[in-house]
Amino acid sequence: MANAPLLLVDGSSYLYRAFHALPPLSTSKGQPTGAVRGVISMLKRLIADYPDSQVVVIFDAKGKTFRDDIYPEYKANRPPMPDDLRLQIEPLHQIIRAMGLPLVVIEGVEADDVIGTLAQQADQLGEKCIISTGDKDMAQLVNDNVSLVNTMDNTVMDIPGVEKKFGIPPRYIIDYLALMGDKVDNIPGVPGVGEKTALALIQGLGGIDEIYSNLEKIKDLSFRGAKNMAAKMLENKEQAYLSYRLATIKTDVDIHRQSELLQAQEADNETLLKQFTELEFKSWALEMQQTSPAIEAEQIPTEYSCILEQATFDAWIKQLSACEAFAIDTETTSLNYMQAKIVGVSFAIEPGKAAYVPCGHDYLGAPNQLALDYVLNALKPILENPEIIKIGQNLKYDAEVLLNYGVKLKGKLYDTMLESYTFNAIGNRHDMDTLAATHLGIKTTHFEDVAGKGAKQLSFNQVDIQQAAPYAAEDADITLRLHHKLWPQLEQKAGPKTVFESIEMPLLPVLITIERNGAMID
C-alpha cells in the first residue's frame, strides 16, 4: 500500500468522452445512462488494475474560474452541456461517493488544477502518481514520478511516451499549447502557428522565452513560412504569453495531500444496489446481490419425509385435500417438458415440513416405490381442485409435465420465480438457489450435489433415493417459504402486484398452450 501510486482520476474528461463515445443508452423510463456507465466502467477497471492505490476522482466545479478573469473569452466557443449529459451528473456523483471514493470539486479552478496540485505534492514527497485522463494538456505534468493512463484505450504515457506522441519532452507542452492555441478552450495562440510550426519552433529554439530571445534565428529553421514568422511572433507576443498563462495547469490550489477530503470511505452497498437497479445496470446490480452480506438464515427446523408406504402417502393426501395452499415440485428425467418423465413428486404444507414421493427411480437395487399411476390418480383431484392454492418455482414447467399425464393444475396459482421477477426484475437472478440465499439466507442443495457433474452426471431416476428425497423435499419447502417471504412484499407494491395478478399468472396457461401446440411452418 505504501508503494502503490496515487491515482488521480480526471472525472470531467472521462464524463465527456464517455458521453460521446458510447451509444445513447437510457433506462426504460428514459433516463440517460451512457456516460454514467462509461465512467463507472473506467473506475472499476482502474481499481482492478491498481487495487492498492489511493483513488481520488476530480470534477470541474460549476461557474467561472480564474482563467475567465484573465481572459473573458476563455472557453467562450464551447456549447452548453447537453441536457442528456447534465441529467447524468448527479447519479454519477452519488455512485462514486457510494463506492467510497473521494470526489473533489473546488470552485474557481478546473479539475486539471486540482489534479496538478495533488500530483506535484506527491512528486515532492517522492511518491508515484498516475493521472487517469484523456486530456492532452495533462502531459505537461509528466515527470519521473508522474505519468498518465488513458483507460479508454489502455495507453500509459511517461516521459518517453510524451516525447513519442508529441515530439517534445513534457517541459515544453505548455509552450506547444500556447503557440498553436486551442479551439476547444478558445486559447488564442499565435495566428498562423499550427501543430507543425509550433513543433518546429520548439525543436529548433526551445520554449517561448527562448523563441522570443532568438527571433532572428527563426528564419533559419526549416518549416514553411519561417521567413515571415518572426514578425508574426513579435506582433502577437502579448497574446502568446497570455495563451501560456491560460494553458498552464495551476499547482498551488488550496488542498492538501493528506486532507480528510481525499480519504476513502466504506462502500455504501445499499445505495449502490439502489442506483444500479434504478439505472438498469443489470450485471452490476446482480454483482451487488451476490457480494452483499448474506442475510441471517431463517432458523426453522426441517422435517423431510420420504414416502414409500401407501398408508403414509394416504395420510398426506388427506392433509393436502384439507389444506388451503401447498407447494408442489416434480422431479423428472429431463429439462425438456415434452420429453420429461416424472420420477417423483414433493410437496410442503407448512414451512420446514415437506415430503417426497419417489415413483420412478430405477437404478440397480432401488427400493420398492409407489406406482406412478397410483400417485397421480390420488393427486389429480387435489391438483385440479379450484379451491386449493398451488405454489411452485417455475410452475409452468411442472404444469406442462403434469399435462403429459392428463393432470391440469387448476385454482389460484403462485409462481415464486414470477413473484421475484415482478417485484424486482433486475435485482438478482430468479432461480431457487439465488432466491433462497437472497431472501432466506439459506444455501440450498444443488442438483449437482446429488447427481454429479459433467459427463458422469446422473439423470434423476438414477439418483439414490436416500439422497434424492431430502433434495426434492427441500425444493418444495423452500418454494413455500419463498412465497411466504415474497408475496407480502409484492402486495405492498400496487403496480407490480397488478402486473403479477393480471398479466404474469394469467399468461401462464396461454404460454403453456402455445408451447405445446407449437407453430406452423410453411
Side-chain angles (χ1 to χ4, degrees):
M1 181 73 76
N3 297 322
L6 170 66
L7 197 55
L8 303 175
V9 179
D10 185 356
S12 294
S13 168
Y14 276 98
L15 178 67
Y16 276 93
R17 295 192 73 200
F19 178 72
H20 292 292
L22 296 177
L25 305 176
S26 62
T27 68
S28 57
K29 296 180 180 178
Q31 164 71 27
T33 60
V36 178
R37 185 168 190 86
V39 175
I40 298 304
S41 295
M42 178 270 294
L43 287 173
K44 284 177 170 285
R45 179 171 176 176
L46 282 173
I47 292 169
D49 289 345
Y50 303 94
D52 295 328
S53 287
Q54 178 186 4
V55 180
V56 182
V57 188
I58 301 98
F59 283 89
D60 289 326
K62 293 180 181 179
K64 296 182 178 182
T65 70
F66 72 94
R67 290 183 180 85
D68 296 284
D69 298 330
I70 296 172
Y71 185 56
E73 288 79 27
Y74 179 68
K75 292 189 177 181
N77 296 335
R78 280 199 178 185
M81 181 181 289
D83 290 340
D84 280 0
L85 180 56
R86 191 184 308 279
L87 290 171
Q88 299 183 64
I89 292 176
E90 185 53 35
L92 175 61
H93 285 191
Q94 289 180 16
I95 291 173
I96 292 172
R97 291 191 178 100
M99 291 172 71
L101 301 177
L103 190 151
V104 180
V105 179
I106 297 180
E107 293 183 0
V109 295
E110 296 179 54
D112 293 10
D113 303 309
V114 179
I115 291 170
T117 300
L118 293 174
Q120 187 181 82
Q121 291 177 9
D123 179 42
Q124 290 171 347
L125 293 171
E127 298 179 2
K128 294 293 183 182
C129 175
I130 295 175
I131 301 170
S132 181
T133 183
D135 190 347
K136 66 181 185 299
D137 299 3
M138 293 284 195
Q140 65 186 268
L141 300 172
V142 172
N143 59 33
D144 290 334
N145 286 322
V146 179
S147 58
L148 309 183
V149 61
N150 186 334
T151 309
M152 285 193 167
D153 59 16
N154 201 31
T155 57
V156 178
M157 208 184 318
D158 52 11
I159 294 176
V162 172
E163 292 177 345
K164 181 178 179 180
K165 181 177 178 63
F166 295 99
I168 51 177
R171 68 179 181 276
Y172 288 133
I173 292 295
I174 303 175
D175 306 84
Y176 177 70
L177 297 172
L179 286 170
M180 67 179 187
D182 188 330
K183 291 182 179 180
V184 175
D185 289 344
N186 201 34
I187 295 176
V190 176
V193 176
E195 191 173 320
K196 292 182 179 179
T197 302
L199 196 58
L201 287 168
I202 294 171
Q203 289 175 338
L205 300 174
I208 284 184
D209 288 340
E210 288 83 5
I211 293 170
Y212 277 105
S213 297
N214 297 278
L215 289 176
E216 72 283 356
K217 295 181 180 180
I218 295 179
K219 66 180 185 298
D220 299 324
L221 299 178
S222 57
F223 65 88
R224 188 176 180 180
K227 291 182 180 180
N228 301 319
M229 184 53 63
K232 286 184 180 180
M233 290 295 299
L234 187 59
E235 181 183 350
N236 295 282
K237 181 175 182 179
E238 184 177 340
Q239 189 165 294
Y241 276 97
L242 168 66
S243 299
Y244 189 93
R245 291 176 66 194
L246 294 173
T248 302
I249 293 175
K250 187 177 175 69
T251 57
D252 59 354
V253 177
D254 187 16
I255 185 172
H256 298 287
R257 172 80 172 78
Q258 302 300 331
S259 69
E260 291 186 9
L261 183 67
L262 305 182
Q263 304 309 308
Q265 305 295 322
E266 288 292 327
D268 182 351
N269 291 334
E270 184 177 343
T271 297
L272 283 175
L273 179 57
K274 179 183 176 182
Q275 287 290 332
F276 291 159
T277 301
E278 288 181 356
L279 296 178
E280 299 178 7
F281 296 149
K282 297 182 181 182
S283 60
W284 292 345
L286 175 59
E287 184 181 286
M288 292 304 304
Q289 287 279 2
Q290 293 175 334
T291 58
S292 59
I295 63 171
E296 187 175 348
E298 286 190 343
Q299 300 300 317
I300 297 177
T302 56
E303 183 182 325
Y304 296 156
S305 305
C306 178
I307 302 174
L308 295 170
E309 304 293 335
Q310 181 176 329
T312 308
F313 177 68
D314 290 344
W316 267 95
I317 289 295
K318 287 183 180 180
Q319 292 183 64
L320 292 171
S321 299
C323 73
E324 180 181 345
F326 67 95
I328 182 169
D329 184 56
T330 58
E331 300 298 343
T332 67
T333 57
S334 172
L335 294 175
N336 185 324
Y337 55 86
M338 294 301 291
Q339 298 177 357
K341 305 297 183 184
I342 292 179
V343 177
V345 182
S346 58
F347 27 75
I349 298 174
E350 58 182 288
K353 293 185 179 181
Y356 175 59
V357 186
C359 40
H361 291 262
D362 53 9
Y363 57 88
L364 186 65
N368 293 329
Q369 301 151 63
L370 296 176
L372 179 59
D373 287 346
Y374 176 80
V375 171
L376 292 180
N377 286 335
L379 285 171
K380 183 179 172 72
I382 301 170
L383 297 175
E384 296 185 347
N385 186 339
E387 302 301 321
I388 300 176
I389 296 170
K390 291 88 183 178
I391 304 158
Q393 164 73 15
N394 189 15
L395 191 58
K396 181 164 68 69
Y397 173 82
D398 300 289
E400 297 207 58
V401 171
L402 288 167
L403 273 175
N404 294 338
Y405 294 87
V407 179
K408 185 175 183 179
L409 289 180
K410 296 180 181 178
K412 193 163 189 177
L413 305 177
Y414 290 92
D415 187 333
T416 51
M417 182 179 74
L418 293 177
E419 286 175 346
S420 171
Y421 176 79
T422 310
F423 181 73
N424 187 359
I426 62 171
N428 48 250
R429 290 183 294 178
H430 308 283
D431 59 281
M432 179 181 289
D433 295 335
T434 300
L435 295 182
T438 302
H439 298 285
L440 306 177
I442 294 175
K443 185 180 185 302
T444 53
T445 305
H446 296 184
F447 181 79
E448 291 80 3
D449 296 335
V450 297
K453 298 179 180 179
K456 295 184 178 181
Q457 188 176 74
L458 303 173
S459 57
F460 205 73
N461 56 301
Q462 292 292 304
V463 175
D464 190 295
I465 288 178
Q466 288 188 341
Q467 289 185 292
Y471 165 81
E474 182 186 66
D475 280 356
D477 177 33
I478 294 298
T479 298
L480 184 66
R481 292 203 228 177
L482 285 172
H483 172 67
H484 289 173
K485 194 80 170 183
L486 291 168
W487 180 244
Q489 297 180 60
L490 192 56
E491 281 190 302
Q492 301 301 313
K493 301 176 72 172
K497 180 189 175 189
T498 300
V499 170
F500 179 83
E501 291 185 319
S502 303
I503 299 175
E504 292 292 354
M505 292 311 299
L507 188 61
L508 208 65
V510 177
L511 291 175
I512 289 172
T513 302
I514 292 172
E515 289 178 358
R516 296 181 72 81
N517 286 344
M520 294 182 67
I521 299 177
D522 186 339

